[in-house]
Structures are given as C-alpha cells and as structure tokens.
Amino acid sequence: SSESGEEEEEWEPKSKIAKRPRLPKKNEAKPKKVAAPRSAVARKKVKKIAIKEMDVSLPIAPPEDNKVQHRKPKEEGVGTKSKTLNQKPEVPIKMEVNSFEGKNIMNLESDEEPSTSVPVVGNEVKHEKCEEDFAFEEPPFKKIKSTTSPEGKPVKNVGGNKVKEEFEMNWDIVQALSEITNVEPWVCANLIRLFKEENTIPFIARYRKELINNLEVDALREVQQALEELRTVAKKTHTMIQKLKKEGKLSGCLLTALLNCRTLEELDHVSAPYKTGSKGTKAQRAKQLGLEPAALSLLQNPMQLNLLSYIRPNTKGLSTIQEVEAGVQHILADIFAKDKDTLDFIRKLCQQRYICIQSALAKVSSKSGNEKDINKFQLYHEFSCNIKSIQHHQILAINRGENLKILTVKVNIPDGVKNEFCWWCVNERWRPKQFLKPELMRLLRNSVEDSYKRLIYPLLCREFRSKLTSDAEKESVMMFGRNLRQLLLTSPVRGRALMGVDPGYKHGCKLAIISPTSQILHTDVVYLHSGQGFCEAEKIKRLLLQYNCSTVVIGNGTACRETEAYFADLIMKKYFAPLDVVYCIVSEAGASIYSVSPEAAKEMPDLDPNLRSAVSIARRVQDPLAELVKIEPKHIGVGMYQHDVSQTLLKATLDSVVEECVSFVGVDINICSEILLRHIAGLNANRAKNIIEWREKNGPFINREQLKEVKGLGPKSFQQCAGFIRFNQEYIKTFCSSKKTEHGSHPFLAKAGAQGKKKSKPTPCAFQWPNPLDQTCIHPESYSIATRFLSFIGGNANDIGKPDMQQKVNAVIQKEGLEGTAKRLNTTVHTLQLIIDGLTQPEGFDIRTDFDKPDFKRSIVCLEDLSVGTVLTGKVENATPFGVFVDIGVGKSGLIPVRNITEAKLSKVKKRRSLGLGPGERVEVKVLNVDIPRLRITLDLIRVL
C-alpha cells in the first residue's frame, strides 16, 4: 500500500476579525419614520434571516442615501473615496456594523424593496406593506452605486471575504475556490452565499449580475461544481477525524495533515495507513518495534546514535543490524514522503522538466484481444506526449484503452529529476545537524532513494494521472453541455404543418403529420423500400395536399439515406406540385426511448409507439426545446466519451443546461406542458403538477402574483421562477373581458373563498387584473423601478414592445445616458438594462431567433460525387476538442479539424462565444480529402452562414 502523503501549509488569518456586535447604531442622523406594524409572519421571517446570516460577511457596497450620510471606514492614503474590489484593507476593522447599514432608508422617489439575497439585520428591514406580500426585496447593490463603482459593482466589505462553513479546514474556502476557478474572491464569496440560499443558476445569471461581476452561466456552473468538491473534501475529512479520534489513532501531526487536504486524493493518501483492516505500512511496523527514536536521532543527533544497541536476536525485524537499518530506512522514507517542503520541491522540479505520459499495446491484448477493438486504439500503440500539451480527448482515449486492458500507460519522469531531488534532500533539506559516519550517510542516501522510488514517484504519477483525467472529464462534460445548449436553442420552425418520417425497411416508414400548433392530424405507415415505392408516392402526395404540408422531416436512423433519396427524387420531378416541398434531416437520438416512456403513453395514449417516434421527429423541428426536454439529455448524443466520465457530474451539468435553456427562453404559463414547466428554475415535478392542476381547476393565470396561490409554491420558489414565466396579454385580456361580462366589475371576487387554501396564501381577490409587465423578462422585484422608469420616460405599460416605446427609451438614454438614468432611479446599470430590454422587446420575443434553423434541401449528393475542392453547405452535428463533425448530406459526416477553424472564418457573434461552432449551425465547407474505403471526409471551413 502507498504511504506517500502531502501536508498543506496551515492557513492562519492575518488578523482576527471580531464578529459584528449586535448593538444599536450610535451617532447617526436618521430621519424620523413611523414603522408600519408587521405581521407575526413577517417578524418571524425577518428574525430568522437575521440570525442565519449574521456571521456571513460579504463584499457589500456601502449605501449612498440622499437623506442619510452613513459613516465610512477611514483608510490611509485614500481620502474620502471608498476602496474598490481590487484593493485590500490596510487597517484593522472597527466598523463592521456599518457594512450592513446598506439597508438604507430609501428616498421618496424609490419604493423598491431590499432583496432576500443580501444579509438582513432585524431592525433595519423595510416593513412589508401587507401580510400577503412575500419579501422579494432588492439587494443594496441594485439600489446604490458608489463613486468608485459607477456600474454598481459592490465595494469590498471592510469585513473581508471570510465565509463561515459547516466544516472548518486549515484553508479558506473562498480563497481556495478563487484559486481553482480563477474567479475574484469577492465574487466567490457572493456565490457561496447565493448558492447557500438555494438560488438557481438561471436566476443568479439574469437577476444578480452585479453580485457576480456578470459571469457567464458556464462559469457559474464551474464554480458551483468546484464548491461542491471542496465541501465534499471538508466533510469527509471531518468524518475521518472523528473516526480516528474514536479509535485513538489521532495525533497532532495527523490532524494538521488531514485539515490541510484540499483534494480527495490527498485525503485518501494521508488516511490510508490508518484505515480499519490495514496491515499498516512498513514505517508503522518499524515504529512498533521501537525504531522511531533511532531514525530521529540520525537526523538530529547522529553522534550519539548506536544502531547495534537496537538489536534483539529473538525479535523479528530486530534480529540483525541489516533488519534494524531497514526499519530505520522505512521510517525515514515515510518522514520524507510526508514532508510538505519536500513534496513542494519535487512538484516544482517536475514543472520545470519534461514529464511525458506514454501508452503501449498490452502484451496480453496483443495475443488474445479482439482485433477490431485493438485497431480502434492504433494511434496509441506507441504513443508519447508531454503532460502539458496532451489533449483532453487523448487522455480519455488512453484511459478507455487501459480499462479495456488493450493499453498499458505510465508517466515517465526523467532520471535527472530523481538525481537532483536526492542531492537536495541529503545536502539541504535533510542534512544532519552533526557529522555523520559513512555507514549512517549511506543509510540516509538509501532512505532518500527508497522514499522517492517507493512512495514519492507513485504519488506523483497518481497526481498527474488524476489531474489529467479530472480536467479531461470536466472538459468533456462542459463540451456536452455546450453542444446540448446549442441543440436546445435551435430556432423553431413555426406556422407550418410538418410531416415527420421515421425511416425503416421491413416494418415500413412511419408517418405523422402535425399542425402548426403541434396537434396530431394524421398518422400512417408506408413501405418505400420493398418494391411499393411508386404506389406509396400517391398516398404521400394525397396527404401532403390534404393537410397543405410542404415540409418533410426525416429521422437520421436506419434507412435514412434511402428515404432521403426517395423524397429528393420526387421533389426533383416536381411530383408534389403545386406544393413546393422541401425536406430536412433531423437527429432521432432518444426518440425510440421516449416513444415507449410513460410520458409518451400519457401524452399519446392511442398511438402505437412506432408512430409516436414519427410525431417526436416532426416536433423536434417545430419546437426543438419543448420536444427535447422530454428526453433524458445524455440520450441526445452530442457528447464525447460520455460513458467514461462521472455520470453524477454529467447528469447534474446536463440537467442544469436544460433548466438554463428553458428558463431563458421562458414559458407561457397558460399553454405550456407539465414536462416543460418542471424544468423552469425554482420548480420541480410536484410544483409543475400543482400549477397544471390549479390551471385546470381555476382557469388561466391572470398575472404572476396568482402563482403564490399554488400549493407548494413558497416565497423562494416564486422568487426563482417568476421572471421566467410569461403571460400572453391578448389571451388574458380576452378572458378578463368575458369574465367581467359574466360577473360584473369584480370578476374574481367570487373565487376568493372557494380555493380552500391555507390562510397564509393570498386570496385571488387581491390580484384581479393582468399586469403588462408579466409578459416581459423583468422580475417582479423590479416592477417598482420599471414603473418609475415608465413615468420618467412618459411611457405607458400597454405600449410594451411597440416602436413608440423604443423611441421614448432611446430619447431618454441618449439624453441622460444609461448610468445617469440608473443613478436617477437609484438602481444599477444591469437592472436598468434588463428593464429596457423587457420594455422594448416585441411581444412574443424569442431568444432562439438568433440561432440557426434546420437546413432544408431539395436534392441529394452521393459520397461518390465528392471530389477534392468541392464546396458544400452543411450543418454541424457535433463539436469536440479536436474538431467539428458536419453533415453535408452524403450519409457520412465530414470532419473539420480544429486547426482549420480560425477566428477569421467565424462571424463576430461566434467569436464572442466560448465555443466557436456548435450543433445546428450552418457552415460552408470545402472538401480537402475523401477516403471512400474508410468512409472518411476531411473538410475545411470557409465561413459560417
């Protein structure tokens, strides 16, 4: 068993900061304001928040109030300016209480409420207006901008970025998270707190931009994963400490070593010798024989060391001088391998040298292996690459070959590293304090070499392999997530009937025609590839003319190529005239799995599973997002080595991407399906089911406030989901008008007592009329600012999305500027920009319109028709770190190597993305090479269409 270990330097704060005293404020002018009496529910909630968050210190901007001037900490050499985020406090902290005086008393023109995402002190919370209102309050960052932070970026809190965790370690979690993710410490501190309060990534990314320095969603996901890994290490460390303490094995040095661990590999290495059932290491057995004083004496006082005195003829391990020397050597080797300075030196040495990873064909596999599998790894039969330059897909391929016992893998560290390390240990780090006899010097050298060969070298190899594999897996998962996002956000093809075709040979091609609103109009089976193609053409033509359908969607499964050729031939002959029919190929990955799922049976109970797949194929073009969310993301098949990576990490990432896409696109609460609704941020299967039940029982939702009446939808869930749920104003106005005619001027008062809800739920009579802001991406917590902005520009809420609104907004912004307007409204630029977007975007705006639509075709090209230099258009099917696969319509995807994808060939929009090309994008390519026997096509990217 391995005995190598690593001890991190114990973290100590530079200055201990006392907790904020819960004392009344002194020497502070405060306008007199009569507090409205709060309900018991409100008082209880405020108290809970205050207690929970008192010992969490975040970078919070000190407020600027038009009426109240708060005290600011004095800082040498800074004058009256506040310190910015990139500056460090230089003086001891004395004003902790003031850091949370950001809950200022708002001026008369602002009625915005503070947000629950910011620490709240009990006596500083603005009183709620009524018992029914939830405390969705704006954070101080959204209210105040300091002179040093014109964009509303929070000024670093004088209390620092210290965050209290459940399991304390010798390292600071904020600093560790910042080092791992390369994100500023103040942003990490804010994110830790936002995640602790159960905020979702879509909510944070859209409505808390100033707290996170406008980070992208992928970066937020990376921080969240890194935070979970650190917390897992801390939790397992403390579990191990309690276990060792109970067993009486815990010493001071071991405790320090455990608390220094930052990764599970380090923790496993340090704790391995002490696990139950372990025989103990060689060093432990030598210590049990009483040789530890001899080993320590050799380093500290070698003149008085006499190894002969330790000989015990009748004791195994001490019977001869050679056994005594071997025991001392094992103890010394263990000391060297667990010394932090020694390990830091060897790691630094390795960073400066050429360390390579090598793979070779295993001897066993070459004799008795499957030749087909062996040939798959032909590139890695004699492979060697520097660990600094090896690609992620190469690591995953090597690991897969090793798991299949086809390859053997090793990390090669040059002998020069060993020689320099041994010299440094003997002559510097572990140099004896006194003169050493030749036989003892030989023992010291042997101990260093033994430590390197038996403990340190295996540890380094494991660390290198573990780091490479971890990075490769994360990149693979992130690549899968980016590809999935691109696929889900494919622009929908609305307003036309579609014919979905699930190709097949023996069992025929399944047809399904759906209406522009996704209703199933007709299903059928035709046999195109069994000699009946001409007869079936008449049936297909009749169906297309009957339902005025001019678009055919063909699944890319079995018999796809033949089915495509069949339709292309009929289209070229103008067989479907007067219809101008076009077709496209769509991935049917996951369609078969979905067609036999309980959800499909519930949605299409009367249809055969084979016909359900044809319906799914058609709907994937009409509304890709609504259809693909029904399928488990990993079955969509746009990843790389997806079965080799951590399935837990993969599922969490892909589920998060689906939630992000559905939330950012938004859903119409009154027409969306339950499956789509459950993917909205803040909702789950039960809440989505309850929303659908409420809708069926009470009719359509009129405004966002009515969501609070739904069972199981509490304040936090409402806060997270409200901004992503939309309302079709025309439909609601029509519904309200009809109800007004039936019930008079108060159409919903009759429902007030009929809900059977708990008293804590608001009654419907409080929210009778639709709110035009509910059709926008503006969050209810910002409605007050939006209303003031509308008054400021002289606009009307009923004109949202109209050209007149755009003109008024542009006029004000050109005159006042974005920052000036934000300052006047006492908010931040990020919040104001979101409000402007919400007011000016046309009704029914869809972010997917900026993405690519399916590639519709009328003719077909064969593989044999390709020649070098041929220019074609195609659609990206999959993206990997080594290149992009493009469907050019010849039945086999071509590969654009990553070296051929340059910034000059990408549009300006693409250059700003984390991934240059993704699934669904249309490209123009040139054929570089065609290998027909091996079915390989190499392409060059000309431009993105």
Side-chain angles (χ1 to χ4, degrees):
S1 64
S2 172
E3 303 165 299
S4 54
E6 177 181 357
E7 296 183 6
E8 297 289 344
E9 198 172 12
E10 183 172 353
W11 181 86
E12 294 182 359
K14 293 182 180 178
S15 59
K16 294 185 178 179
I17 301 173
K19 290 185 178 179
R20 296 188 299 280
R22 304 183 72 173
L23 299 173
K25 302 176 191 175
K26 298 178 181 179
N27 304 325
E28 182 173 343
K30 195 171 186 180
K32 293 182 180 180
K33 186 174 180 181
V34 179
R38 291 175 293 173
S39 65
V41 175
R43 285 197 302 272
K44 182 178 179 182
K45 176 174 181 178
V46 171
K47 184 177 179 182
K48 180 180 178 182
I49 296 175
I51 295 173
K52 179 181 178 182
E53 305 296 348
M54 275 304 294
D55 54 357
V56 178
S57 179
L58 278 184
I60 296 210
E64 294 175 1
D65 198 305
N66 294 339
K67 294 187 176 184
V68 184
Q69 294 295 328
H70 294 293
R71 294 173 294 173
K72 297 181 180 179
K74 296 180 181 180
E75 298 167 350
E76 296 180 6
V78 179
T80 58
K81 290 185 179 181
S82 303
K83 287 201 170 188
T84 60
L85 290 165
N86 296 325
Q87 295 173 322
K88 297 181 179 178
E90 299 174 357
V91 293
I93 289 81
K94 297 181 181 179
M95 308 292 287
E96 287 86 349
V97 176
N98 286 345
S99 66
F100 286 100
E101 290 174 3
K103 297 294 173 181
N104 61 336
I105 300 166
M106 300 302 295
N107 54 20
L108 293 176
E109 68 175 338
S110 172
D111 56 353
E112 180 188 0
E113 299 177 356
S115 171
T116 54
S117 68
V118 174
V120 180
V121 179
N123 58 357
E124 298 175 38
V125 179
K126 184 176 178 179
H127 301 313
E128 295 175 357
K129 293 181 180 178
C130 68
E131 186 173 331
E132 299 167 349
D133 290 334
F134 292 129
F136 299 123
E137 307 161 336
E138 291 285 321
F141 306 149
K142 291 200 168 191
K143 301 177 190 172
I144 308 302
K145 294 193 288 75
S146 68
T147 55
T148 56
S149 302
E151 294 183 4
K153 186 185 288 186
V155 175
K156 182 181 285 186
N157 183 5
V158 291
N161 293 325
K162 181 69 176 175
V163 174
K164 187 173 181 181
E165 285 289 308
E166 182 181 358
F167 301 104
E168 293 293 334
M169 300 290 285
N170 282 351
W171 37 265
D172 178 35
I173 193 165
V174 173
Q175 199 61 38
L177 192 60
S178 177
E179 291 172 4
I180 293 171
T181 59
N182 292 323
V183 174
E184 298 95 325
W186 68 271
V187 176
C188 290
N190 284 349
L191 282 172
I192 289 173
R193 195 168 172 286
L194 287 168
F195 288 137
K196 187 177 182 181
E197 293 174 349
E198 298 180 353
N199 290 291
T200 59
I201 285 180
F203 176 81
I204 295 171
R206 177 175 282 182
Y207 300 112
R208 295 293 182 263
K209 288 181 185 245
E210 60 281 346
L211 292 179
I212 60 172
N213 203 19
N214 210 15
L215 280 182
E216 293 289 335
V217 175
D218 285 337
L220 293 179
R221 201 172 288 117
E222 186 180 348
V223 172
Q224 187 182 41
Q225 290 169 359
L227 177 61
E228 289 303 317
E229 289 175 6
L230 288 173
R231 283 178 170 162
T232 301
V233 171
K235 184 176 181 180
K236 290 191 174 182
T237 298
H238 281 265
T239 303
M240 180 60 66
I241 289 173
Q242 294 300 324
K243 181 182 177 184
L244 295 176
K245 194 173 183 180
K246 188 176 180 181
E247 295 173 357
K249 299 178 182 178
L250 189 66
S251 63
C253 294
L254 178 58
L255 177 62
T256 303
L258 288 169
L259 291 176
N260 283 335
C261 293
R262 291 197 185 197
T263 64
L264 292 176
E265 288 79 13
E266 290 180 30
L267 176 62
D268 185 60
H269 175 73
V270 173
S271 60
Y274 304 95
K275 289 182 179 177
T276 307
S278 174
K279 295 180 181 178
T281 63
K282 292 181 178 181
Q284 283 181 310
R285 293 196 291 270
K287 288 177 182 178
Q288 290 171 0
L289 293 172
L291 293 176
E292 187 173 15
L296 297 175
S297 179
L298 188 145
L299 296 175
Q300 298 170 1
N301 193 13
M303 296 294 290
Q304 298 180 6
L305 176 61
N306 181 13
L307 293 179
L308 296 174
S309 63
Y310 288 90
I311 296 176
R312 302 287 185 272
N314 298 325
T315 305
K316 184 179 179 181
L318 299 176
S319 57
T320 64
I321 186 65
Q322 288 79 14
E323 290 184 348
V324 172
E325 287 181 352
V328 172
Q329 177 178 310
H330 293 152
I331 294 173
L332 289 174
D334 184 67
I335 292 173
F336 301 158
K338 292 185 178 179
D339 178 65
K340 184 180 183 304
D341 292 338
T342 304
L343 292 174
D344 287 344
F345 178 82
I346 189 67
R347 289 191 182 108
K348 187 176 180 181
L349 201 59
C350 287
Q351 289 177 357
Q352 301 167 355
R353 301 299 178 89
Y354 182 88
I355 312 296
C356 66
I357 184 168
Q358 299 174 336
S359 67
L361 184 64
K363 294 179 181 179
V364 177
S365 65
S366 60
K367 295 178 182 179
S368 59
N370 185 337
E371 187 175 347
K372 186 178 179 181
D373 289 339
I374 293 173
N375 289 337
K376 287 182 181 178
F377 297 94
Q378 187 175 1
L379 289 173
Y380 303 102
H381 287 181
E382 292 182 5
F383 177 81
S384 178
C385 186
N386 189 343
I387 61 171
K388 294 180 181 178
S389 58
I390 191 168
Q391 300 296 312
H392 296 305
H393 66 274
Q394 293 174 324
I395 287 293
L396 294 173
I398 288 172
N399 289 349
R400 179 181 287 185
E402 186 180 33
N403 292 334
L404 295 173
K405 303 191 184 311
I406 294 173
L407 301 176
T408 56
V409 186
K410 71 173 183 176
V411 176
N412 187 16
I413 301 176
D415 291 338
V417 173
K418 173 189 173 183
N419 297 335
E420 188 173 343
F421 170 74
C422 292
W423 184 92
W424 177 82
C425 284
V426 173
N427 293 281
E428 292 189 22
R429 179 69 182 93
W430 301 104
R431 185 174 181 174
K433 297 181 179 180
Q434 299 175 2
F435 174 76
L436 214 60
K437 298 175 183 178
E439 59 271 18
L440 294 181
M441 180 58 78
R442 175 179 52 79
L443 179 58
L444 180 61
R445 287 198 180 96
N446 291 341
S447 300
V448 171
E449 290 188 7
D450 179 50
S451 178
Y452 176 83
K453 181 180 178 181
R454 186 167 54 87
L455 303 175
I456 295 176
Y457 174 74
L459 171 65
L460 292 174
C461 291
R462 286 197 306 275
E463 285 183 351
F464 289 139
R465 291 288 304 276
S466 176
K467 180 73 165 59
L468 290 170
T469 300
S470 175
D471 290 346
E473 286 192 357
K474 287 178 182 176
E475 177 59 28
S476 176
V477 170
M478 295 299 284
M479 177 70 73
F480 200 140
R482 291 194 290 264
N483 289 347
L484 178 64
R485 181 192 297 115
Q486 192 85 19
L487 198 62
L488 292 176
L489 294 180
T490 301
S491 185
V493 178
R494 300 190 187 280
R496 63 168 91 173
L498 300 174
M499 173 184 280
V501 182
D502 184 6
Y505 290 116
K506 186 177 179 181
H507 298 289
C509 297
K510 278 67 69 178
L511 305 180
I513 298 179
I514 61 172
S515 70
T517 57
S518 290
Q519 301 301 312
I520 302 171
L521 301 177
H522 183 80
T523 58
D524 212 330
V525 180
V526 292
Y527 299 88
L528 307 181
H529 312 301
S530 58
Q532 305 177 35
F534 183 75
C535 300
E536 299 288 12
E538 204 50 51
K539 181 194 287 186
I540 295 172
K541 179 180 180 180
R542 189 180 71 253
L543 290 173
L544 291 176
L545 290 171
Q546 179 182 347
Y547 295 104
N548 193 26
C549 175
S550 60
T551 306
V552 179
V553 183
I554 304 171
N556 67 346
T558 305
C560 164
R561 189 69 182 155
E562 291 78 2
T563 306
E564 180 187 9
Y566 177 85
F567 276 97
D569 183 55
L570 293 177
I571 290 171
M572 293 297 289
K573 293 176 181 177
K574 300 187 182 300
Y575 183 80
F576 301 115
L579 293 176
D580 181 18
V581 176
V582 295
Y583 72 91
C584 69
I585 308 296
V586 68
S587 171
E588 61 176 46
S592 300
I593 297 173
Y594 167 70
S595 63
V596 294
S597 66
E599 288 85 359
K602 183 179 178 181
E603 185 182 2
M604 299 174 275
D606 301 328
L607 277 188
D608 180 85
N610 293 319
L611 294 171
R612 290 174 191 163
S613 62
V615 174
S616 177
I617 287 170
R619 286 176 174 171
R620 288 184 184 204
V621 170
Q622 194 169 64
D623 192 346
L625 181 62
E627 189 63 24
L628 291 175
V629 294
K630 302 173 184 177
I631 302 162
E632 196 172 350
K634 67 180 182 181
H635 293 146
I636 295 177
V638 286
M640 177 187 71
Y641 293 96
Q642 65 196 62
H643 301 294
D644 294 354
V645 302
S646 166
Q647 295 303 300
T648 304
L649 176 62
L650 180 66
K651 186 179 187 308
T653 301
L654 298 186
D655 289 346
S656 177
V657 169
V658 173
E659 180 184 72
E660 167 205 337
C661 292
V662 175
S663 299
F664 285 174
V665 169
V667 298
D668 188 332
I669 188 69
N670 289 318
I671 63 173
C672 71
S673 66
E674 181 182 329
I675 295 175
L676 194 62
L677 198 58
R678 70 177 62 158
H679 291 288
I680 286 287
L683 300 183
N684 54 26
N686 285 334
R687 291 169 190 153
K689 183 180 177 183
N690 291 340
I691 288 174
I692 299 298
E693 288 177 354
W694 192 99
R695 190 174 74 189
E696 292 173 350
K697 180 179 179 181
N698 302 289
F701 287 88
I702 305 302
N703 53 37
R704 284 172 172 164
E705 293 295 330
Q706 277 190 305
L707 287 168
K708 298 175 183 178
E709 301 172 29
V710 177
K711 179 183 177 182
L713 205 84
K716 195 66 185 180
S717 299
F718 176 83
Q719 182 197 36
Q720 298 301 303
C721 74
F724 306 115
I725 288 176
R726 308 293 175 81
F727 295 78
N728 186 307
Q729 293 298 301
E730 293 299 324
Y731 173 73
I732 293 174
K733 286 176 183 176
T734 304
F735 176 78
C736 289
S737 299
S738 63
K739 286 292 179 182
K740 184 176 180 180
T741 305
E742 293 175 18
H743 299 285
S745 59
H746 299 286
F748 300 111
L749 285 176
K751 293 184 182 180
Q755 300 300 316
K757 301 292 181 185
K758 296 179 182 178
K759 291 182 180 180
S760 60
K761 290 285 183 184
T763 55
C765 63
F767 315 109
Q768 299 177 27
W769 304 108
N771 187 339
L773 293 175
D774 288 343
Q775 66 182 308
T776 70
C777 59
I778 303 171
H779 197 280
E781 67 184 8
S782 299
Y783 278 5
S784 57
I785 303 176
T787 304
R788 283 187 279 122
F789 180 68
L790 282 170
S791 301
F792 181 60
I793 66 174
N796 189 324
N798 293 322
D799 295 334
I800 290 175
K802 297 179 181 178
D804 185 47
M805 177 68 73
Q806 181 77 57
Q807 292 174 4
K808 290 180 179 179
V809 170
N810 290 343
V812 170
I813 297 302
Q814 287 176 4
K815 180 181 177 182
E816 298 277 343
L818 201 61
E819 294 180 7
T821 308
K823 187 174 182 180
R824 181 184 285 268
L825 295 172
N826 212 4
T827 186
T828 64
V829 173
H830 291 302
T831 304
L832 179 59
Q833 185 61 59
L834 193 67
I835 290 171
I836 290 173
D837 290 343
L839 295 178
T840 56
Q841 286 169 352
E843 187 176 353
F845 173 77
D846 193 332
I847 63 170
R848 293 175 291 177
T849 53
D850 294 335
F851 289 80
D852 299 279
K853 291 187 177 182
D855 190 15
F856 293 104
K857 299 182 287 186
R858 292 182 175 84
S859 61
I860 188 170
V861 181
C862 299
L863 184 62
E864 291 75 14
D865 298 337
L866 293 180
S867 61
V868 175
T870 304
V871 176
L872 301 163
T873 59
K875 185 178 71 171
V876 176
E877 278 197 335
N878 198 1
T880 67
F882 55 84
V884 172
F885 291 96
V886 180
D887 177 11
I888 53 176
V890 296
K892 182 67 179 178
S893 296
L895 173 67
I896 306 177
V898 69
R899 63 178 177 273
N900 293 342
I901 304 173
T902 60
E903 285 194 11
K905 298 175 182 178
L906 300 178
S907 64
K908 292 181 180 179
V909 176
K910 312 293 182 188
K911 288 178 188 177
R912 291 197 295 268
R913 294 184 186 170
S914 57
L915 177 66
L917 290 172
E921 297 193 60
R922 297 182 66 241
V923 293
E924 188 175 21
V925 295
K926 181 171 71 174
V927 179
L928 296 180
N929 182 43
V930 181
D931 187 349
I932 294 178
R934 301 172 73 178
L935 294 178
R936 288 184 180 176
I937 308 167
T938 307
L939 306 172
D940 183 24
L941 176 65
I942 296 177
R943 63 191 178 97
V944 180
L945 300 176

